Every structure is written in C-alpha cells, then in structure tokens.
Amino acid sequence: MTRRHFTDLLVTGTAGTVACATSKAGILARLNQTARSQGLVIIDTLIPEVMTVIGSDAVQLVLPERPGRLSLAPDGAWMAWFPYSANVYLKGTEGPQVYFTDNPRSARSVSLKGLLGAQLAISSKGDRLAVAVVVAAGPITRLVVLKLATGEIEYDVTDLVTRFRPAEIERLRLSASGGRLVAGSRSRFSVVDLPSQKVLFEGEGRFPSLSPSGEAVAFVDGHRKLNFTTVATGATRRLLESSTTHGVGSWTPDGALLFAGVEPTLSFFWYLAAVDCSMDTYAEITRLEEHDSGQDCGLISRRLLSPAAAPAGARPTPGQ
C-alpha cells in the first residue's frame, strides 16, 4: 500500500465516522423533537414493579392498581394493564379485571370471562383492547379484541392464529387505529387484519412490533438480527447487519423511529437505541441492564405520570 493510498483510506474513514456521528445526532434530535412536541417521555415497563422513566428522575408512573402486565398505546396517551393480583388463576365466578386509562386518577376496568389475563395490547385513543385470556386449564387460551366503549368482544381471532398455540402468545401489539393486530410467540408471529378477519403475514422471529400504521412489522430473527417487513408484500430487509439486536420495543407515534436493544460490534454491553429503519442506522440512548433486551421500551405521555417521591430524609428544594 502506498502512502497516498493509506492517506486516502484515513480520510475516507474519518469522513465516514463524521457522517455516522451526524446521522446519529440527527436521530436523537428527531426523537427529542417528537417527545417534546407531543409531551412524551421514554419509559421501560419490563418490570412493572420498578418501571423506569428514562432520562428523568422527577416523574414516575403511579397506578391505582399495582400492574402485573402493562401495555402502552401507539400514541403513548393510553395504557391498559392486568393487576398484579391477577397473575394467578382466579377461583370462583369472577373473571380477571383489565384496567385502562388516559388518566391514572380515573382508571376504568372491564371484567373478562376466564381464569387469567395472559397478554394485552391497547390501541391509540383507547378504542380497542386485544387480550389473550386463559379460559380453562391446559391452558386453553382465547385471543379476543374488545370494544372498550362497551366492554363487548368485537372480534375473536383465536382460530386465525395457526402457526403456534394461543397459549404460547408472549406479545400482542395493535396498530394505532386498532385495525391490525400482531400476535407473537417466542419464535413465530402472525399479523391479522381485524375487519376482514384475514391473516396478512406470518413470519419467524421474536418481539414483533407493528408500526402505528399497521403497514410494517419489525422483529428479531433467529440470528439476533433486526428485520423489517412490509406487510402488504412480505418484502423483508435485514437491518443493522454489523450489530446484534436483542429485543424490539415500540415505535414513535409517527412510525419514523423504532426502539430496540442493540449491541454494537465489539461491545461488551447493549443499549436502548432509536432505529431509523428507512436509513438502516441507529443512535444509542442509554445502556441496558443484562436482563433487559429493550423489548418493553416505548413512549408515554407526561399526563400519565406523577412527580416522583423524594427519597427518605431528603430536604425539599428551596421554593417547593
């Protein structure tokens, strides 16, 4: 290699690094703009007992009923949850309760027929709620979609999901309108159009995350690579080839960015990242703990949060 070739290589590499840094700064700027303009913050709901608001210690999520499983709507303004007390099979005539709200101080609930609420997903504006409910020992599980205005079952899509047993469902996600649903096990998933009662796409992978429009789904394949599929055509692209993706969280409400747990090349750690699927690039937000793959990270409205309690013995800030 000549000195000139070596110099060209250095210049090219430096330019690429600068371009990459600029791209990542742009992603974070867009994420920050979306969050600020819509009054949203990032939250990690992996462990409901210690849900973490990322980037802010001043607020926390406080609910009237301690959550066992929780779902955030694509717009971040609504949430639904099964109470922690319902994490065991219920006895008697009462079925599991599911709570939903856009204001924690005035949560509503509906009663389900069954023994246990296994998984759930709520649409934007709180119109629809998808639930996987254990209805008998076995466990025998039904996958239904409720119209929250009435609490009645609008769709029963149990028989549409054929690639895995309903009892294996570990993730549900609704599109913003509530017109499309993705149900996933640890290795397979199905995208269903609810009004037509048709399966639009079936794939192999984990942590499927339906875009707010319902037109795309992102997931982690068996090689721990991030995949992006256009539902209408089934066309699939593998993204972030040089990185490992551990989990896929939610999208920003406009569908421009996706939260994921990404491990960079030659790194000992992985990070919550904002991924631009259209540009096949990402920006790191914060480091994740070993037990956390980023699959339960998303945006939540500040209206749903309360001021964090001051640590015991802490002195109040002057002026408070």
Side-chain angles (χ1 to χ4, degrees):
M1 179 183 292
T2 66
R3 181 179 298 177
R4 179 177 179 180
H5 288 158
F6 182 65
T7 302
D8 288 344
L9 182 62
L10 286 177
V11 171
T12 302
T14 302
T17 301
V18 172
C20 182
T22 302
S23 173
K24 292 186 175 185
I27 289 175
L28 294 179
R30 288 159 54 199
L31 176 60
N32 186 55
Q33 173 61 28
T34 296
R36 284 180 176 273
S37 64
Q38 299 184 40
L40 303 168
V41 294
I42 304 171
I43 191 168
D44 188 344
T45 64
L46 175 64
I47 304 176
E49 295 90 337
V50 288
M51 289 179 287
T52 305
V53 178
I54 296 173
S56 177
D57 295 327
V59 290
Q60 61 183 354
L61 180 58
V62 180
L63 299 174
E65 287 286 339
R66 180 185 176 192
R69 296 188 183 277
L70 182 142
S71 169
L72 292 173
D75 61 3
W78 284 80
M79 61 183 173
W81 70 98
F82 292 122
Y84 185 83
S85 58
N87 278 352
V88 296
Y89 281 8
L90 298 176
K91 297 180 180 180
T93 57
E94 290 189 5
Q97 294 282 317
V98 56
Y99 293 82
F100 61 99
T101 189
D102 63 346
N103 181 346
R105 288 169 291 281
S106 60
R108 289 171 282 170
S109 67
V110 293
S111 182
L112 306 175
K113 293 182 179 180
L115 303 176
L116 175 74
Q119 297 292 339
L120 75 169
I122 190 170
S123 67
S124 297
K125 299 182 180 179
D127 295 328
R128 285 176 176 153
L129 179 75
V131 291
V133 185
V134 178
V135 296
I140 298 173
T141 304
R142 305 296 297 179
L143 177 56
V144 298
V145 179
L146 307 178
K147 192 172 184 178
L148 283 178
T150 62
E152 298 175 348
I153 294 177
E154 190 173 9
Y155 303 105
D156 187 331
V157 296
T158 308
D159 296 336
L160 294 178
V161 178
T162 59
R163 300 199 68 194
F164 50 91
R165 296 185 302 114
E168 298 178 79
I169 293 174
E170 73 163 11
R171 165 167 285 195
L172 295 174
R173 291 290 170 89
L174 282 164
S175 61
S177 68
R180 290 185 176 180
L181 168 71
V182 64
S185 69
R186 293 178 63 88
S187 58
R188 294 182 174 87
F189 64 91
S190 300
V191 179
V192 178
D193 182 76
L194 295 174
S196 67
Q197 294 283 279
K198 292 182 178 179
V199 175
L200 302 179
F201 181 78
E202 295 178 319
E204 294 187 359
R206 196 178 183 190
F207 303 126
S209 184
L210 198 60
S211 67
S213 67
E215 296 177 355
V217 60
F219 59 95
V220 178
D221 66 19
H223 300 284
R224 290 191 175 181
K225 298 296 181 182
L226 179 64
N227 285 246
F228 176 92
T229 296
T230 301
V231 173
T233 63
T236 300
R237 293 186 295 128
R238 178 179 277 185
L239 307 177
L240 313 184
E241 283 275 17
S242 61
S243 303
T244 298
T245 300
H246 293 274
V248 182
S250 300
W251 299 75
T252 52
D254 59 4
L257 300 172
L258 172 71
F259 291 108
V262 178
E263 180 181 343
T265 305
L266 303 179
S267 174
F268 292 105
F269 310 106
W270 52 87
Y271 301 82
L272 174 63
V275 182
D276 184 334
C277 295
S278 65
M279 298 299 292
D280 191 10
T281 188
Y282 71 95
E284 297 166 5
I285 299 171
T286 188
R287 179 180 157 187
L288 292 170
E289 298 296 332
E290 290 184 4
H291 64 272
D292 193 345
S293 296
Q295 73 271 25
D296 289 297
C297 291
L299 291 171
I300 186 172
S301 172
R302 285 184 176 274
R303 293 189 299 103
L304 294 169
L305 303 174
S306 304
R315 294 182 178 180
T317 301
Q320 289 187 335

